[in-house]
Amino acid sequence: RSESAWLSQDLHDANYENFDISKLDGHECRAGLDLSKVMDLTALSLMFKDPEEPELYRRLVYYWIPEKRAWDIRESVPLLSWAENPRNNLTITDGDVCDYSRVLAKFVELSNQFEIESFAFDPWN
């Protein structure tokens, strides 16, 4: 809904495709992490070249948000119901700040499943 979105919703939707994640097991990827604390989503993104079609890329994204924030904005953003669907990769963490131990545990799990070639992060805070 942003006036200056870098990727339109139409273009995003046109390129969305369900994909069997197990096809990526053991493959190289690049990871990016954007941590939040209270108000925003924490996001961990993995980008892969498709093993069967190298001109395509596959992206897996995992999200976390504190429970208090999810409740505070439940009228405008239905995060609580989104988190009920495992395909959304959204975790509501207990309390009013993001639980970084949950993020780390997921990163370790993913690093055992995939070859994380590089890791980038937003250095703020």
Side-chain angles (χ1 to χ4, degrees):
R1 294 182 302 200
S2 172
E3 289 181 26
S4 61
W6 70 271
L7 180 65
S8 72
Q9 187 68 45
D10 291 340
L11 185 58
H12 176 274
D13 292 348
N15 286 282
Y16 180 82
E17 176 184 353
N18 286 324
F19 183 76
D20 181 2
I21 295 170
S22 68
K23 291 182 178 184
L24 301 173
D25 285 355
H27 286 274
E28 290 183 353
C29 66
R30 289 178 168 72
L33 177 66
D34 185 20
L35 292 174
S36 66
K37 198 162 202 153
V38 176
M39 302 294 287
D40 203 359
L41 290 168
T42 287
L44 174 63
S45 178
L46 303 178
M47 184 69 77
F48 300 81
K49 281 191 175 184
D50 187 292
E52 296 171 2
E53 300 180 58
E55 69 280 359
L56 294 179
Y57 288 86
R58 301 291 179 182
R59 179 184 57 146
L60 302 176
V61 185
Y62 300 85
Y63 305 95
W64 296 263
I65 194 162
E67 181 180 30
K68 182 180 183 318
R69 179 66 176 154
W71 276 98
D72 288 348
I73 63 174
R74 70 185 177 278
E75 297 300 321
S76 59
V77 184
L79 294 169
L80 296 164
S81 62
W82 290 348
E84 293 174 4
N85 183 343
R87 290 182 52 205
N88 290 330
N89 296 329
L90 172 62
T91 300
I92 308 290
T93 65
D94 293 337
D96 58 357
V97 293
C98 188
D99 182 351
Y100 293 156
S101 68
R102 304 274 306 267
V103 178
L104 178 60
K106 187 64 174 181
F107 184 78
V108 169
E109 174 190 326
L110 294 169
S111 69
N112 288 322
Q113 183 176 1
F114 309 115
E115 277 300 314
I116 299 177
E117 182 179 287
S118 62
F119 178 74
F121 61 93
D122 181 352
W124 185 84
N125 202 13

